[in-house]
Amino acid sequence: MYQYDEIDQTMVEERVAQFRDQVARRLTGEISEDEFKPLRLQNGLYLQLHAYMLRIAIPYGTLSSRQLRGLAQIGCTYDRGWGHFTTRQNLQYNWIKLEDAPAALADLAKVQMHAIQTSGNCIRNTTTDQFAGAAHDEIEDPRVWCEIIRQWSTFHPEFSFLPRKFKIAVTGSPNDRAAVRVHDIGLRMHKNDAGEIGFEVIVGGGLGRTPFIGKTIRDFLPKQDLLSYLEAILRVYNQFGRRDNLFKARIKILVHEIGIETMREKVEAEFAASKHGALKLPQEAIDQIAVQFAPPAFETLSGISAEYANAFRTDFEFGLWARRNTFKHKQPGYSIVTISLKKEGAPPGDASAEQMNAVADIADRYSFGEIRVTHEQNLVLPHVKHSDLPAVFKALKAWDLATPNVGLASDIIACPGLDYCALANARSIPIAQQIALRFKNWERAHDIGELKIKISGCINACGHHHVGHIGILGVDKAGEEFYQITLGGSADDQAALGDLIGPSLNTHDAVDAIDTLVETYLRLRKSSDERFLDTYRRIGIAPFKEAVYVSA
Amino acid sequence: MSLLKHGRLVGEDAFQPVADDAALPASGAVLVTYARWQVEREQLTGRNAPLGILLPNNLDVLDFGAEAERFDLIVLQFPKFSDGRAYSQARLLRERFGYRGELRATGHVLQDQLWHMQRSGFDAFEIPRADAVEAFAKASRTFSHVYQPTGDGRVSVLKQRLAAHNNKNGRSQEAAE
């Protein structure tokens, strides 16, 4: 894992000192709230419905056990003993006092973490595949590139006051688990015909009120040119992105309005002028970062672990969990474990300080002290030996962290919604809870199989509803919460935006409608191997629409 | 309003701003708009006095950069501190077009943006506060290191580490020999 050197440590500490001074100047009234707002936002501090929310950056979703314990401690000291893992692989505290924020950030710096650029119109925390460095299908560990991007983008003097926020995602695997086609910039690592590894660069994707699937601006970018190319894109966006209308200020609108060809011309011209400049990455510099992501000291294992095989045969619950919550590792004899933060009936992505400490302990014992955060709001133990899986299951279960529902109907993404957020039109968490309870029966849930339900409480789409197999969007209809349902969205390598099935429904009818949609799928699927999304793609919207609206 | 150049207070601005519809003074340094420059190029270059230009922040500086060296002062605008277009204009003028004259920030110029402006190539600032010198000095000290190279000549963290690494290797090689 990447460790801060003295320079990184100095930078986060100086940032804390800077923010402490800014808060002091705000509290004395030297600077206005209007002038203070972008400063606090670039330190992750948002004003919400009831209190300040502090958003912590978890760079590319990678945490050490020590860092996770640090997050638990901050949750206890400055919040109410909880943290909320988000769709951006970050962590949010929902009950922070302004005057405590500098102290919380100072505690964070002690475990080599920060809240820099987790909000505001700047380059945000870079996200990636939660299985990076562990997945069997990976071309290269994308975290090396995320860290290079993290450093380049931190306090970038030219790009701290962009037209709007800017999100970059990287995948090192052809099976995209980082949703790169719905980011401002998506980077997909692949091999060209000459066998060299580089990036496909995708630009202008995004969700929000005007969703777009990103367009390829360059098929193959050599690694050493990554930062020059990113700077070229950002420079074009900073100058020509719209600033007259907040809702049209994202790069996706610029790309849409001028067209990808014109965008490409501008970016390539800028790149041609700068590609041999100071941003060109020497191989030695790449290696210096890469060495910090070297794999842990795996054991050489072969054959099938007897403990694992035995538990799989004799412990039904374990078998269910192992089938759903583990993923194939690149190292023989190891698995990647996903820890579900979606126990039916609980708010998606929430973890108590006790649970965080427990996960840190389990990671130390069974996963080289490493933890990952997924954009689907779960946690991951990236390197668990097969023979340890039964013990890990038992340890997680003791903390209510072994719900065997990863990728199933109850593994729902939801934004904080009207329970916390000042922008929301409707609540997200209660409807997520109600839907999850409908799929609590494991037999039915496993029979339904992979089904991604995503819920947003307003059109800003923090819950990614556009790319849910079933997407749910909260709207306000004459003061009452209503929900629009979309079908067929997907954030993977075949990214697609969902189609609206019809008029919005009230909470009760919306929850019923999800049940109806699932029953319709079960009735019409070709076989149990055909996923909900595949059935939808094969038969289209009509049978689903009819089932929901005609029978109602 | 304080005018700062290289961190020091400038008592009086050498450049006299001239409105588009006002006559040019017979002598002395003037500051004109980009619009006026476009129609009065000859008169302005023929004056034989220092010339300054105020660029709109939506101007594509690629269309102007080749002419930059004719000026002794270029003023870039921040209509609101959150409008960051002039940072890109500044870097392009300095780093792409090699402009070496005074590059001045005007408008909503706040203490907390001075660090970004300096790094982008600005060397002069119109700051609407009395203690501008102190504010500037404080802002300049914000961070000991820089993560990215710009035209300000500071060595990025990446290059710093690389140099440290190579030095160490070089030294150990010498020791081995």
Side-chain angles (χ1 to χ4, degrees):
Chain A
M1 264 186 73
Y2 185 79
Q3 299 283 324
Y4 281 9
D5 61 5
E6 268 174 51
I7 296 176
D8 294 314
Q9 191 63 38
T10 303
M11 293 294 269
V12 293
E13 285 170 10
E14 286 175 343
R15 176 60 155 200
V16 173
Q18 181 195 37
F19 188 55
R20 203 184 285 281
D21 172 63
Q22 288 163 344
V23 170
R25 283 188 280 138
R26 174 69 199 115
L27 291 173
T28 61
E30 186 192 320
I31 45 178
S32 68
E33 179 54 28
D34 192 37
E35 291 167 355
F36 178 62
K37 189 175 165 192
L39 304 177
R40 68 168 160 77
L41 287 180
Q42 296 210 5
N43 286 287
L45 202 61
Y46 257 94
L47 188 56
Q48 293 214 315
L49 270 184
H50 313 289
Y52 280 101
M53 175 271 276
L54 181 61
R55 181 183 292 153
I56 309 301
I58 300 176
Y60 34 93
T62 296
L63 280 172
S64 68
S65 53
R66 180 166 169 257
Q67 290 173 322
L68 186 55
R69 287 193 192 93
L71 294 175
Q73 174 258 314
I74 292 167
C76 287
T77 311
Y78 306 101
D79 196 279
R80 299 177 176 178
W82 288 86
H84 176 76
F85 291 96
T86 77
T87 57
R88 300 261 318 130
Q89 300 182 302
N90 289 326
L91 179 108
Q92 294 179 183
Y93 299 111
N94 282 314
W95 305 96
I96 296 288
K97 293 192 189 76
L98 176 59
E99 50 274 33
D100 284 345
L105 293 179
D107 284 2
L108 204 57
K110 288 180 197 153
V111 290
Q112 307 197 341
M113 293 187 79
H114 60 75
I116 295 162
Q117 291 169 212
T118 54
S119 183
N121 296 334
C122 51
I123 303 169
R124 304 287 189 89
N125 187 20
T126 300
T127 53
T128 191
D129 184 354
Q130 68 270 19
F131 299 158
H136 70 96
D137 55 4
E138 179 171 281
I139 297 167
E140 203 179 291
D141 191 338
R143 293 175 303 165
V144 175
W145 300 97
C146 295
E147 177 57 29
I148 289 171
I149 295 168
R150 182 190 78 84
Q151 296 187 17
W152 160 77
S153 62
T154 297
F155 313 138
H156 198 296
E158 184 180 349
F159 306 133
S160 290
F161 297 93
L162 295 169
R164 200 75 178 84
K165 59 188 167 184
F166 204 92
K167 300 173 183 177
I168 303 173
V170 190
T171 175
S173 159
N175 301 304
D176 180 11
R177 288 175 288 266
V180 299
R181 292 200 177 269
V182 288
H183 282 77
D184 296 288
I185 291 178
L187 298 168
R188 186 179 70 83
M189 301 196 80
H190 67 114
K191 259 191 197 145
N192 67 4
D193 294 340
E196 299 151 339
I197 296 172
F199 302 96
E200 178 191 355
V201 184
I202 299 152
V203 70
L207 301 174
R209 67 181 65 209
T210 323
F212 283 106
I213 299 297
K215 297 168 187 72
T216 301
I217 189 164
R218 199 176 225 268
D219 289 321
F220 187 85
L221 180 73
K223 288 173 177 177
Q224 70 266 22
D225 293 330
L226 178 67
L227 295 183
S228 313
Y229 205 82
L230 292 180
E231 198 150 293
I233 295 174
L234 264 298
R235 181 167 285 168
V236 169
Y237 171 56
N238 188 42
Q239 293 181 95
F240 304 106
R242 286 182 63 173
R243 290 176 186 264
D244 60 324
N245 182 339
L246 185 68
F247 301 127
K248 297 191 171 175
R250 293 288 287 270
I251 195 172
K252 61 190 173 185
I253 305 291
L254 175 67
V255 172
H256 176 69
E257 288 183 352
I258 69 175
I260 186 67
E261 291 78 18
T262 308
M263 186 71 190
R264 186 178 295 123
E265 273 169 37
K266 283 180 180 289
V267 169
E268 288 286 337
E270 188 55 44
F271 175 58
S274 64
K275 68 186 284 193
H276 299 296
L279 276 177
K280 188 163 184 169
L281 287 161
Q283 187 58 44
E284 298 87 336
I286 300 171
D287 294 344
Q288 267 191 319
I289 304 271
V291 72
Q292 302 220 43
F293 292 95
F298 292 124
E299 288 172 42
T300 307
L301 301 166
S302 60
I304 292 165
S305 142
E307 293 97 322
Y308 176 56
N310 187 43
F312 209 89
R313 243 192 342 267
T314 57
D315 184 342
F316 175 75
E317 268 188 82
F318 171 75
L320 211 57
W321 174 83
R323 266 200 297 276
R324 243 11 273 187
N325 293 28
T326 65
F327 187 82
K328 191 176 172 192
H329 202 286
K330 63 180 172 191
Q331 178 74 17
Y334 285 80
S335 265
I336 303 169
V337 168
T338 300
I339 301 172
S340 169
L341 295 180
K342 312 288 179 62
K343 188 180 160 61
E344 296 89 351
D350 272 13
S352 69
E354 293 80 7
Q355 285 176 320
M356 289 190 238
N357 283 325
V359 170
D361 292 345
I362 296 167
D364 274 341
R365 190 146 175 213
Y366 301 109
S367 182
F368 298 93
E370 274 193 48
I371 301 107
R372 306 289 175 74
V373 183
T374 84
H375 85 271
E376 291 174 326
Q377 301 181 281
N378 292 316
L379 298 178
V380 165
L381 299 170
H383 314 295
V384 180
K385 261 194 293 188
H386 286 164
S387 54
D388 287 337
L389 285 170
V392 167
F393 171 69
K394 205 173 148 203
L396 290 172
K397 200 174 169 215
W399 291 96
D400 247 345
L401 291 168
T403 310
N405 64 346
V406 171
L408 299 181
S410 57
D411 185 7
I412 296 171
I413 288 186
C415 70
L418 196 54
D419 290 304
Y420 296 99
C421 179
L423 302 172
N425 291 319
R427 289 172 300 167
S428 308
I429 295 169
I431 189 164
Q433 291 169 320
Q434 286 178 52
I435 292 168
L437 287 170
R438 297 278 181 112
F439 298 101
K440 198 172 166 30
N441 178 315
W442 66 265
E443 214 166 355
R444 181 165 176 247
H446 285 249
D447 180 34
I448 296 161
E450 185 184 299
L451 174 56
K452 302 199 171 188
I453 302 178
K454 307 190 188 216
I455 307 173
S456 306
C458 79
I459 48 173
N460 293 309
C462 296
H464 300 181
H465 65 275
H466 298 295
V467 289
H469 300 172
I470 297 179
I472 300 173
L473 165 66
V475 294
D476 174 79
K477 217 165 159 179
E480 200 190 335
E481 292 166 305
F482 269 68
Y483 296 89
Q484 283 182 357
I485 297 171
T486 50
L487 294 181
S490 169
D492 59 14
D493 27 301
Q494 289 167 29
L497 302 171
D499 311 307
L500 187 64
I501 65 161
S504 58
L505 304 165
N506 67 26
T507 309
H508 178 264
D509 291 346
V511 175
D512 277 353
I514 305 306
D515 243 341
T516 307
L517 289 168
V518 170
E519 285 305 319
T520 307
Y521 151 70
L522 290 173
R523 193 159 44 80
L524 297 174
R525 70 180 177 185
K526 264 190 188 155
S527 72
S528 58
D529 291 339
E530 192 181 60
R531 298 175 305 163
F532 180 94
L533 183 63
D534 301 326
T535 303
Y536 177 79
R537 283 177 176 165
R538 181 172 57 81
I539 67 176
I541 202 166
F544 293 99
K545 192 174 185 151
E546 193 182 305
V548 169
Y549 292 99
V550 175
S551 65
Chain B
M1 178 66 64
S2 311
L3 175 61
L4 242 61
K5 203 175 168 188
H6 300 297
R8 281 188 293 276
L9 213 52
V10 176
E12 203 177 334
D13 188 358
F15 291 84
Q16 185 192 340
V18 184
D20 282 353
D21 53 3
L24 286 170
S27 64
V30 291
L31 173 66
V32 297
T33 66
Y34 178 69
R36 184 160 192 163
W37 163 249
Q38 286 195 292
V39 291
E40 292 180 32
R41 266 191 177 75
E42 278 170 34
Q43 296 92 307
L44 287 164
T45 41
R47 281 183 75 252
N48 205 16
L51 188 57
I53 189 164
L54 176 70
L55 298 184
N57 84 336
N58 60 0
L59 175 75
D60 186 345
V61 286
L62 298 184
D63 297 337
F64 167 80
E67 296 182 309
E69 61 178 1
R70 295 176 177 220
F71 296 90
D72 303 278
L73 165 69
I74 296 177
V75 182
L76 299 178
Q77 308 182 66
F78 292 87
K80 258 199 91 182
F81 70 89
S82 54
D83 184 339
R85 283 179 275 202
Y87 295 110
S88 289
Q89 291 181 316
R91 285 196 68 193
L92 283 168
L93 288 171
R94 287 288 195 220
E95 296 169 39
R96 182 75 41 83
F97 296 103
Y99 174 68
R100 289 284 157 258
E102 178 179 340
L103 192 58
R104 188 189 295 179
T106 189
H108 203 182
V109 177
L110 302 173
Q111 177 183 324
D112 294 293
Q113 277 78 48
L114 290 173
W115 187 84
H116 305 75
M117 290 175 184
Q118 263 184 290
R119 291 227 61 212
S120 299
F122 289 98
D123 57 2
F125 311 88
E126 288 175 10
I127 306 175
R129 55 193 285 168
D131 61 345
V133 173
E134 292 76 16
F136 180 83
K138 200 165 146 185
S140 312
R141 289 193 303 265
T142 310
F143 296 109
S144 311
H145 306 277
V146 298
Y147 276 117
Q148 54 296 102
T150 68
D152 68 356
R154 296 181 69 175
V155 180
S156 73
V157 168
L158 188 132
K159 293 276 161 71
Q160 255 179 285
R161 285 184 184 132
L162 206 56
H165 180 76
N166 290 341
N167 275 341
K168 206 167 95 192
N169 282 2
R171 267 206 302 279
S172 55
Q173 224 164 21
E174 270 168 42
E177 279 165 5

